[in-house]
Coordinates of all heavy atoms in Angstrom, one line a residue:
A574 N 25.8 -10.3 -29.5 CA 26.6 -9.6 -30.5 C 27.0 -8.2 -30.0 O 26.2 -7.4 -29.6 CB 25.8 -9.4 -31.8
E575 N 28.3 -8.0 -29.9 CA 28.8 -6.7 -29.4 C 29.2 -5.9 -30.6 O 29.6 -6.3 -31.6 CB 30.1 -7.0 -28.5 CG 29.8 -7.9 -27.4 CD 29.0 -7.2 -26.3 OE1 28.9 -6.0 -26.3 OE2 28.5 -7.9 -25.4
A576 N 29.1 -4.6 -30.4 CA 29.5 -3.6 -31.4 C 31.1 -3.7 -31.6 O 31.8 -3.8 -30.6 CB 29.2 -2.2 -31.0
Q577 N 31.5 -3.7 -32.8 CA 32.9 -3.8 -33.1 C 33.6 -2.5 -32.7 O 33.1 -1.4 -33.0 CB 33.2 -4.1 -34.6 CG 32.7 -5.4 -35.0 CD 33.4 -6.6 -34.3 OE1 34.6 -6.6 -34.2 NE2 32.7 -7.5 -33.8
P578 N 34.8 -2.5 -32.1 CA 35.6 -1.3 -31.8 C 35.8 -0.5 -33.1 O 35.9 -1.1 -34.2 CB 36.9 -1.8 -31.2 CG 36.6 -3.2 -30.8 CD 35.5 -3.7 -31.7
A579 N 36.0 0.8 -33.0 CA 36.2 1.6 -34.1 C 37.6 1.4 -34.7 O 38.5 1.0 -34.0 CB 36.1 3.1 -33.7
A580 N 37.8 1.7 -36.0 CA 39.1 1.6 -36.6 C 40.1 2.5 -35.9 O 39.8 3.6 -35.4 CB 39.0 2.0 -38.1
G581 N 41.3 2.0 -35.7 CA 42.3 2.8 -35.0 C 42.4 2.5 -33.6 O 43.3 3.0 -32.9
S582 N 41.5 1.7 -33.0 CA 41.5 1.4 -31.6 C 42.6 0.3 -31.3 O 42.9 0.1 -30.1 CB 40.2 0.9 -31.2 OG 39.9 -0.4 -31.7
G583 N 43.1 -0.4 -32.3 CA 44.0 -1.5 -32.0 C 43.3 -2.8 -31.7 O 43.9 -3.8 -31.4
Q584 N 41.9 -2.8 -31.6 CA 41.2 -4.0 -31.3 C 40.0 -4.1 -32.2 O 38.9 -4.3 -31.8 CB 40.7 -3.9 -29.8 CG 41.9 -3.9 -28.8 CD 41.4 -4.4 -27.5 OE1 40.3 -4.4 -27.1 NE2 42.4 -4.8 -26.7
M585 N 40.2 -4.1 -33.5 CA 39.2 -4.2 -34.5 C 39.3 -5.6 -35.2 O 40.4 -5.9 -35.7 CB 39.2 -3.1 -35.5 CG 38.1 -3.1 -36.5 SD 38.1 -1.7 -37.6 CE 36.7 -2.0 -38.6
E586 N 38.3 -6.3 -35.3 CA 38.4 -7.6 -35.9 C 38.4 -7.4 -37.4 O 37.9 -6.4 -38.0 CB 37.2 -8.5 -35.6 CG 37.3 -9.9 -36.0 CD 36.4 -10.8 -35.3 OE1 35.5 -10.4 -34.6 OE2 36.5 -12.1 -35.5
S587 N 39.0 -8.4 -38.1 CA 39.1 -8.3 -39.6 C 37.8 -8.1 -40.3 O 36.8 -8.7 -39.9 CB 39.8 -9.6 -40.1 OG 39.8 -9.7 -41.5
L588 N 37.9 -7.3 -41.4 CA 36.7 -7.2 -42.2 C 36.5 -8.3 -43.2 O 35.5 -8.4 -43.9 CB 36.8 -5.9 -43.0 CG 36.9 -4.6 -42.2 CD1 37.1 -3.4 -43.1 CD2 35.6 -4.4 -41.4
M589 N 37.5 -9.2 -43.3 CA 37.4 -10.2 -44.3 C 36.6 -11.4 -44.0 O 35.9 -11.9 -44.9 CB 38.9 -10.6 -44.6 CG 39.8 -9.5 -45.1 SD 39.0 -8.6 -46.5 CE 38.9 -9.9 -47.7
L590 N 36.7 -11.9 -42.8 CA 36.0 -13.2 -42.5 C 35.7 -13.2 -41.0 O 36.6 -13.0 -40.2 CB 36.8 -14.4 -42.9 CG 36.3 -15.8 -42.5 CD1 35.0 -16.1 -43.3 CD2 37.4 -16.8 -42.8
S591 N 34.5 -13.5 -40.6 CA 34.1 -13.5 -39.2 C 33.1 -14.6 -39.0 O 32.4 -15.0 -39.9 CB 33.6 -12.2 -38.7 OG 32.4 -11.9 -39.3
T592 N 33.0 -15.1 -37.8 CA 32.1 -16.2 -37.4 C 31.4 -15.9 -36.1 O 31.8 -15.1 -35.3 CB 32.9 -17.5 -37.2 OG1 33.8 -17.4 -36.2 CG2 33.6 -17.9 -38.5
T593 N 30.2 -16.5 -36.0 CA 29.5 -16.4 -34.7 C 28.9 -17.8 -34.4 O 28.9 -18.6 -35.3 CB 28.3 -15.4 -34.8 OG1 27.4 -15.8 -35.8 CG2 28.8 -14.0 -35.1
G594 N 28.6 -18.0 -33.2 CA 27.9 -19.3 -32.9 C 28.7 -20.2 -32.1 O 28.2 -21.3 -31.8
E595 N 30.0 -19.9 -31.8 CA 30.9 -20.9 -31.1 C 30.4 -21.3 -29.7 O 30.7 -22.4 -29.2 CB 32.3 -20.3 -31.1 CG 33.0 -20.2 -32.4 CD 32.8 -18.9 -33.1 OE1 31.9 -18.1 -32.7 OE2 33.6 -18.6 -34.0
F596 N 29.7 -20.4 -29.0 CA 29.4 -20.6 -27.6 C 28.2 -21.5 -27.4 O 27.8 -21.8 -26.3 CB 29.2 -19.3 -26.9 CG 30.5 -18.5 -26.7 CD1 30.8 -17.5 -27.5 CD2 31.4 -18.9 -25.7 CE1 31.9 -16.8 -27.3 CE2 32.5 -18.2 -25.5 CZ 32.8 -17.1 -26.3
G597 N 27.6 -22.0 -28.4 CA 26.4 -22.9 -28.2 C 25.6 -23.1 -29.5 O 25.2 -24.2 -29.8
P598 N 25.3 -22.0 -30.2 CA 24.4 -22.1 -31.4 C 24.9 -23.2 -32.4 O 24.0 -23.9 -32.9 CB 24.4 -20.7 -32.0 CG 24.6 -19.8 -30.8 CD 25.6 -20.5 -29.9
I599 N 26.2 -23.3 -32.6 CA 26.6 -24.3 -33.6 C 26.3 -25.7 -33.1 O 25.9 -26.5 -33.9 CB 28.1 -24.1 -33.8 CG1 28.5 -25.0 -35.0 CG2 29.0 -24.5 -32.6 CD1 30.0 -24.9 -35.4
L600 N 26.3 -25.9 -31.8 CA 25.9 -27.3 -31.3 C 24.4 -27.5 -31.4 O 24.0 -28.6 -31.8 CB 26.4 -27.4 -29.8 CG 27.9 -27.2 -29.5 CD1 28.1 -27.3 -28.0 CD2 28.7 -28.2 -30.3
F601 N 23.6 -26.5 -31.1 CA 22.2 -26.6 -31.3 C 21.8 -26.9 -32.7 O 20.9 -27.7 -33.0 CB 21.5 -25.4 -30.7 CG 21.5 -25.3 -29.2 CD1 22.3 -24.4 -28.6 CD2 20.7 -26.2 -28.4 CE1 22.3 -24.3 -27.2 CE2 20.7 -26.1 -27.0 CZ 21.6 -25.1 -26.4
V602 N 22.4 -26.1 -33.6 CA 22.1 -26.2 -35.0 C 22.3 -27.6 -35.5 O 21.5 -28.2 -36.2 CB 22.9 -25.2 -35.9 CG1 22.8 -25.5 -37.3 CG2 22.3 -23.8 -35.6
V603 N 23.5 -28.1 -35.2 CA 23.9 -29.5 -35.7 C 23.0 -30.5 -35.1 O 22.5 -31.4 -35.9 CB 25.4 -29.8 -35.5 CG1 25.7 -31.2 -35.8 CG2 26.3 -28.9 -36.3

């Protein structure tokens, strides 16, 4: 988990919906 860039940086992910686990955890969980 990386720290999100600060607002105004032009590279901040949406506050509305986010996901984690795509690189492997989702496969292990299922």
Side-chain angles (χ1 to χ4, degrees):
E575 302 287 347
Q577 296 295 314
S582 67
Q584 294 202 342
M585 183 175 182
E586 189 164 8
S587 170
L588 296 178
M589 298 308 298
L590 175 66
S591 64
T592 60
T593 63
E595 291 92 342
F596 289 102
I599 188 173
L600 300 178
F601 288 106
V602 165
V603 171

